[in-house]
Amino acid sequence: MLERDGPKSYNSQLKKAGDWFYKQKDYSKAVAFYRQCGNTGDLVKGLSFMYNHNSEYASIEDTLTIIHTYVTDDIVKSHLFLLEPLAWAAYVEGRPEEMAEFLDRYYRQFPKIVLQTPQSAITRYSLLCMDYRESMKDVTRTMKKLTFIKGAKITSPSISQNLPFFHRSFRDLSEYALDTEENLLLWTKTIGVLLLEESGTLIDSIRAGLAYEQGNLAAAHEFALSACAKRKDSFAPEIQFCSFM
């Protein structure tokens, strides 16, 4: 068959192999076969899993390898949503200046990106939380102006990298110390709309962290118990870990 049909049949077989690995959620192999096909559309299909960075689909290491190997400047020009995984990779690898450049490019192109790929209305949430140049209060105020899909599932290879309440080195909880309830209400109306039930556990975790930092151990303990009581087995592992901590 390959001898009869030549390159066309060969590329068809490569595409079938890529499709098979894609269905198996083995994206590193899928994108490798798609690139061999020479079809940019198939390659972008293989890269589309990075909308969510879901650890069920690829490890952080595999995802970074895929980004560095396959997300080229030419592909990004035609598929602007790929600025998002580039910014994420720069963040994970500790390149904050480069991350900021990717974020700014993404923000400028956002109207076009969201038309091409509506899912980007959700992933912008993660980018806002990664942007160290804005306080979380500013992030929630910005999110209030955006349109999100209620109940849309947010996933990440490590939610703790995108939700700052798990890493104080990333975001400082002290900014919630003033006007706490007002700011937490805004948080609930923005980020909480996306996280649904998980939001209750996180809110109590934030309250526990604030009380702890203020030296009110009794209140911190009560909030921590409340966070644990609201936790469900279906919650993301990082959120469950957060409530235990």
Side-chain angles (χ1 to χ4, degrees):
M1 179 177 175
L2 291 178
E3 291 180 358
R4 184 182 72 243
D5 296 334
K8 183 177 180 180
S9 179
Y10 180 65
N11 287 337
S12 175
Q13 296 303 310
L14 290 174
K15 175 177 168 51
K16 288 180 181 179
D19 289 342
W20 188 87
F21 281 112
Y22 187 86
K23 290 178 181 178
Q24 305 305 310
K25 299 179 181 178
D26 189 342
Y27 296 106
S28 57
K29 288 188 175 66
V31 294
F33 279 107
Y34 286 144
R35 185 171 74 166
Q36 291 182 65
C37 293
N39 187 319
T40 301
D42 287 331
L43 178 57
V44 171
K45 171 188 171 182
L47 295 172
S48 64
F49 82 98
M50 289 187 290
Y51 276 120
N52 294 323
H53 298 317
N54 195 324
S55 58
E56 295 177 5
Y57 299 160
S59 68
I60 291 178
E61 292 78 7
D62 285 344
T63 303
L64 289 172
T65 298
I66 291 170
I67 291 171
H68 291 309
T69 305
Y70 301 109
V71 183
T72 64
D73 289 339
D74 288 340
I75 291 177
V76 172
K77 289 177 182 177
S78 302
H79 301 86
L80 294 169
F81 82 90
L82 292 171
L83 287 168
E84 188 263 339
L86 287 173
W88 174 82
Y91 166 73
V92 171
E93 295 174 339
R95 295 178 278 118
E97 294 83 4
E98 191 172 350
M99 180 194 76
E101 292 177 5
F102 286 129
L103 288 176
D104 287 340
R105 287 174 61 188
Y106 187 96
Y107 296 153
R108 288 194 299 270
Q109 298 286 349
F110 183 71
K112 184 184 295 184
I113 292 172
V114 80
L115 285 176
Q116 294 175 344
T117 52
Q119 290 161 285
S120 296
I122 300 170
T123 57
R124 187 176 180 183
Y125 152 75
S126 294
L127 296 184
L128 287 169
C129 287
M130 284 195 298
D131 196 339
Y132 61 91
R133 298 168 297 179
E134 292 192 69
S135 71
M136 273 309 296
K137 291 181 182 178
D138 290 335
V139 169
T140 51
R141 291 190 188 104
T142 300
M143 287 183 65
K144 189 176 181 181
K145 301 175 184 177
L146 300 177
T147 300
F148 291 95
I149 302 171
K150 186 174 182 180
K153 187 63 177 176
I154 301 297
T155 54
S156 166
S158 176
I159 291 180
S160 58
Q161 292 174 340
N162 292 332
L163 291 181
F165 319 108
F166 306 141
H167 289 303
R168 292 194 62 251
S169 60
F170 179 45
R171 297 281 191 179
D172 191 344
L173 283 173
S174 62
E175 66 177 301
Y176 282 91
L178 298 176
D179 303 319
T180 301
E181 294 308 313
E182 178 183 343
N183 286 309
L184 288 180
L185 179 61
L186 179 58
W187 192 97
T188 301
K189 290 181 176 179
T190 53
I191 299 174
V193 170
L194 296 174
L195 295 176
L196 298 180
E197 288 184 300
E198 294 178 350
S199 179
T201 296
L202 289 172
I203 287 289
D204 281 344
S205 296
I206 294 170
R207 289 195 173 104
L210 286 171
Y212 178 81
E213 292 184 2
Q214 294 167 344
N216 191 344
L217 300 186
H221 184 236
E222 290 301 318
F223 284 129
L225 290 177
S226 178
C228 288
K230 295 176 181 177
R231 185 185 62 242
K232 293 185 177 180
D233 292 341
S234 59
F235 287 3
E238 291 88 348
I239 291 179
Q240 298 192 49
F241 177 78
C242 172
S243 60
F244 278 120
M245 290 298 291

